[in-house]
Amino acid sequence: MSQRLIGLLLDALWETLAMVGVSCFLAALVGIPLGVVLLVTQRGHIAESPLFNRVVGALVNATRSTPFIILMVAIIPLTRLIVGTSIGTWAAAVPLTLAAIPFVARLAEASLREVDPGLIEAAQAMGATPRQIVAKVLIPEALPGIVAGMTITVVSLIGYSAMAGAVGGGGLGDLGIRYGYQRFEGEVMAAVVVVLIVLVSLVQWAGDRLARQLNKRLTAKQAAAI
């Protein structure tokens, strides 16, 4: 592998990691609380508000159902407003974040729904407020599932970031399109594919390992409580 190709790959890998890292952080920052809201405002839950739940759920579903490439083009004015341009690494982070937030919200909601209702009832019987139930029961109990969901999100964002490269988003996708496809440099395309496979495998391994460790700690804590 030539020095030129190694340099191109390292630059593109950094751009991809920057895009995915920022998008994942912001998606978790907004998406996890949104997932909590979607759960606790359901009918019969600790902060039920059926109308609010339906409205927020409809917005989340509408965003999730929009193909990423269409979302990326549709929010170009917003992207320019936020980062001052519609092309490049940081510009691609805007649609990546917006695409990931509802995805994270639904995955977090699903994990939170798996928490034993008996734990919630016990906390309510002891006089815990809804905020305390969320912070001390729902989130800790659902944390392994949330971590697993974030792992899926990161893997999806890596794929989306490669797609963003097709329209000037930078990163490994942009490298593969410009050099591997448009300039017919097969070794560049092959190298990009290999790097993406390795990157996804590492993320999946790390996420699975962390989720297993959290699950073991949770199980040990529950056994000690018994």
Side-chain angles (χ1 to χ4, degrees):
M1 188 179 292
S2 66
Q3 289 294 115
R4 167 180 167 271
L5 179 54
I6 293 175
L8 289 171
L9 282 173
L10 289 176
D11 289 342
L13 178 60
W14 161 247
E15 291 176 351
T16 294
L17 291 175
M19 277 190 288
V20 172
V22 169
S23 302
C24 186
F25 173 76
L26 294 175
L29 199 63
V30 178
I32 294 174
L34 183 57
V36 172
V37 169
L38 286 170
L39 177 74
V40 300
T41 57
Q42 291 178 2
R43 190 180 300 277
H45 219 283
I46 58 176
E48 65 174 306
S49 180
L51 178 60
F52 178 80
N53 184 273
R54 284 196 294 270
V55 171
V56 175
L59 290 174
V60 168
N61 291 337
T63 307
R64 284 185 65 200
S65 63
T66 305
F68 176 70
I69 195 70
I70 294 176
L71 177 66
M72 190 172 184
V73 173
I75 66 166
I76 283 177
L78 176 63
T79 302
R80 285 178 178 159
L81 180 65
I82 294 174
V83 297
T85 180
S86 61
I87 59 174
T89 302
W90 303 118
V94 176
L96 283 171
T97 301
L98 290 181
I101 286 173
F103 190 67
V104 171
R106 286 303 187 189
L107 288 174
E109 181 192 7
S111 298
L112 292 162
R113 192 179 291 118
E114 296 300 316
V115 175
D116 186 358
L119 295 175
I120 300 173
E121 293 173 1
Q124 287 177 316
M126 290 187 290
T129 64
R131 182 176 297 181
Q132 289 172 327
I133 292 173
V134 169
K136 297 183 179 181
V137 178
L138 287 175
I139 295 295
E141 293 290 325
L143 195 55
I146 292 174
V147 169
M150 288 305 303
T151 302
I152 296 172
T153 302
V154 175
V155 171
S156 299
L157 285 176
I158 291 172
Y160 285 162
S161 71
M163 193 185 306
V167 288
L172 291 167
D174 180 59
L175 178 64
I177 292 294
R178 285 193 296 118
Y179 288 85
Y181 177 72
Q182 294 177 349
R183 301 187 186 184
F184 303 102
E185 296 186 26
E187 65 173 358
V188 176
M189 183 66 81
V192 166
V193 172
V194 170
V195 171
L196 284 171
I197 291 173
V198 171
L199 183 58
V200 167
S201 299
L202 286 174
V203 169
Q204 190 67 57
W205 173 81
D208 289 345
R209 183 180 177 85
L210 179 58
R212 284 196 299 269
Q213 289 178 341
L214 289 172
N215 194 48
K216 287 179 181 178
R217 291 177 188 173
L218 181 61
T219 303
K221 184 180 73 173
Q222 291 171 338
I226 295 173

